[in-house]
Amino acid sequence: MTDREQVSPTRVQILDEEGMNRTVARMAAEIVERDGGEIILVGIHTRGVPLAERLATAIAAMSGQRVAVGRLDITLYRDDVGPWRPAHSQPVIKDTSLPDSIDGEVIYLVDDVLFTGRTVRAALDTLMDYGRPRGVRLAVLVDRGHRELPVAADVVGKSIPTGLDEDVQVRLREVDGEDGVWIGKGSSDAH
Amino acid sequence: MPTDSVQSLAAKDLVGIAPLSAGEIQLILDTAEGLLEIARRPIKKVPTLRGRTVVNLFMEPSTRTRFSFEVAEKRLSADTLNFSAGTSSVTKGETLIDTARNLMAMAPDFIVMRHPNSGAPHRLAKMVPAAIINAGDGINEHPTQALLDAFTMRRHFQRLEGLKVVVAGDISHSRVARSNAFLLTKMGAQVRFVAPASLMPLGVEELGVQTFNRLEPALEGADVVMMLRIQRERQGNMNFPSVREYYDFFGLTPRRLALAAPHAVVMHPGPINRGVEIDSAVADGPRSVILEQVTNGVAIRMAILYLLAGGHGEPTSHS
């Protein structure tokens, strides 16, 4: 895009591996305190999926109880799929896996970064096509602000005030081979 | 086969398999994989194509392809308009160009088209901005059928490369056979065409397939046996003495099927003629995947609509 992109962007690490483990453990404790163990953790593709698994492991270590985990692909519910996208490439469709029924359950949607709120809107619509949960909550590792829709998280790992020209990069071992959160300028690695 | 993976289809239309790259075929099959699950949900509908219009323009009789497209369109929330020969003004002498102009005045985003003339969708694609999807043109191509066939094979064998695929029947009148030959050879499968000499077109080897005038030798070690319908409506003079004799020489019976690999699957694009090209015991038997093909066809058609709905450029941010 600009000349800036050609120089390597400045990156500042916000969380390292240990910090991420502590953050996930604290999020798990908040979830248990709030709703006990009778919940379903549903990770939003891509990085919400391993995060939901990690939260389930942390909850099991805490309460001895293994909670159900699912995963959700929101691609077909996005508001930018179609010719108004500046993209000829449609996003890749990934798998959705939920328990047979989510009617009457309490669901925690899990994602890595909360930004505009559009992913969460799409995730809510997706979920409602699978049933009628009793409650839906939102747990995110990072809330970076700049909401475009009236969406708020119930459980936040870390709030990071950012500029619109900045990027928050969450990297997870399961997807990226390393753990950490960085904030940088000028990177085009969009979600 | 190592194929360069691609993120999008290059053309605005799907007129045939011939213009597609191996990477594009793989993209369509991978996309369909993610769409299969929608058929198992309590609400079998996603909002992806909300507000888009699809015209289904069928100038030739069709039941399953038309229904399959319509289910695919509705599951993606598109609005559908159906034009069928016999009920539309085509029977009143309107030309293809005039029909197209009238349709475009209604601003459809997609036109799904079946036409008795080979090349009709290619012509229409050049004339209108809508995305044209070929649902069968004359004896040329039937790309969505070949894609759903390949999808069904890949789901059974986890690959296409190296598969031995027999396609038997009325090759000379079969757009399904042609599209399958294009697709399977691009993906590295080995294709064997079987037909009586009178139903085997000249020069068909140029498609990269082996040809046989008897079924038995072709069946040896086959992974997939695809039987084609004898299209009596496309044959002025019958090219074989009788249906009974065709069955005796070319019908797929349990005894003949035993010559194929033990894991072989039996396919048929439908509608089947029991006791002509296929024995009921085979069509309804454990190796038959004919009804899976129908289910898979909806996912393939959804995948094509989804991929052709894309605009131009890079994906936008969405967090």
Side-chain angles (χ1 to χ4, degrees), chain A residues 84-102:
Chain A
W84 50 86
R85 281 168 71 76
H88 192 63
S89 63
Q90 295 279 58
V92 177
I93 297 165
K94 305 193 185 80
D95 68 318
T96 291
S97 162
L98 292 169
D100 283 342
S101 170
I102 58 166

Side-chain angles (χ1 to χ4, degrees), chain B:
Chain B
M1 173 176 286
T3 47
D4 293 331
S5 75
V6 297
Q7 308 294 308
S8 61
L9 301 180
K12 85 170 168 65
D13 314 285
L14 179 74
V15 292
I17 299 295
L20 294 181
S21 68
E24 287 179 304
I25 291 165
Q26 202 157 293
L27 174 69
I28 295 168
L29 301 184
D30 291 346
T31 304
E33 202 68 54
L35 292 162
L36 262 182
E37 178 263 342
I38 293 170
R40 296 192 293 267
R41 295 189 192 180
I43 297 176
K44 299 173 181 57
K45 200 178 186 71
V46 295
T48 318
L49 294 186
R50 216 153 36 99
R52 310 293 196 86
T53 306
V54 186
V55 170
N56 296 311
L57 185 63
F58 279 74
M59 310 292 214
E60 224 184 40
S62 163
T63 308
R64 74 200 59 220
T65 303
R66 190 165 56 82
F67 278 19
S68 178
F69 267 108
E70 204 169 334
V71 171
E73 291 152 10
K74 289 186 166 158
R75 291 213 171 135
L76 288 171
S77 298
D79 295 315
T80 60
L81 296 170
N82 295 314
F83 277 64
S84 298
T87 59
S88 71
S89 50
V90 191
T91 48
K92 299 174 188 165
E94 193 178 54
T95 66
L96 175 61
I97 295 170
D98 286 325
T99 305
R101 283 185 183 137
N102 277 279
L103 290 176
M104 282 324 291
M106 300 173 211
D109 300 284
F110 301 89
I111 298 176
V112 175
M113 183 188 195
R114 167 163 294 188
H115 203 279
N117 297 349
S118 302
H122 307 68
R123 178 107 197 263
L124 197 63
K126 292 197 181 76
M127 286 161 33
V128 300
I132 307 297
I133 300 171
N134 184 357
D137 64 322
I139 56 167
N140 181 39
E141 280 226 45
H142 191 351
T144 57
Q145 179 70 44
L147 286 161
L148 78 88
D149 291 339
F151 185 52
T152 306
M153 291 176 212
R154 204 180 70 161
R155 287 186 62 77
H156 276 272
F157 298 104
Q158 283 76 49
R159 67 192 164 98
L160 292 172
E161 189 182 9
L163 288 185
K164 298 183 181 72
V165 182
V166 170
V167 182
D170 183 355
I171 302 287
S172 63
H173 295 91
S174 179
R175 53 198 177 203
V176 174
R178 273 173 63 84
S179 287
N180 263 296
F182 287 135
L183 192 154
L184 292 168
T185 52
K186 277 177 208 264
M187 304 310 279
Q190 194 194 99
V191 185
R192 303 168 177 175
F193 275 0
V194 184
S198 55
L199 291 175
M200 184 76 83
L202 288 174
V204 73
E205 292 82 0
E206 283 167 28
L207 295 175
V209 303
Q210 294 173 275
T211 59
F212 296 83
N213 290 136
R214 285 182 56 233
L215 190 53
E216 288 81 357
L219 286 172
E220 297 260 333
D223 300 298
V224 179
V225 185
M226 188 187 301
M227 301 308 292
L228 302 176
R229 185 172 64 95
I230 288 300
Q231 304 190 38
R232 282 179 262 190
E233 74 275 18
R234 284 189 208 279
Q235 300 182 18
N237 298 313
M238 292 290 277
N239 291 300
F240 44 88
S242 72
V243 159
R244 179 76 219 176
E245 181 164 321
Y246 183 84
Y247 176 75
D248 286 345
F249 283 92
F250 293 97
L252 188 62
T253 57
R255 206 167 47 83
R256 288 201 174 109
L257 181 56
L259 297 170
H263 57 255
V265 296
V266 174
M267 301 176 66
H268 194 303
I272 64 174
N273 289 320
R274 290 171 186 268
V276 181
E277 70 270 0
I278 192 165
D279 192 284
S280 277
V282 175
D284 305 329
R287 318 271 283 277
S288 165
V289 296
I290 295 172
L291 294 176
E292 273 174 51
Q293 288 175 270
V294 178
T295 304
N296 291 342
V298 174
I300 280 291
R301 288 167 180 127
M302 288 172 77
I304 288 156
L305 288 162
Y306 173 73
L307 291 168
L308 290 178
H312 296 270
E314 282 303 308
T316 50
S317 155
H318 197 276
S319 267

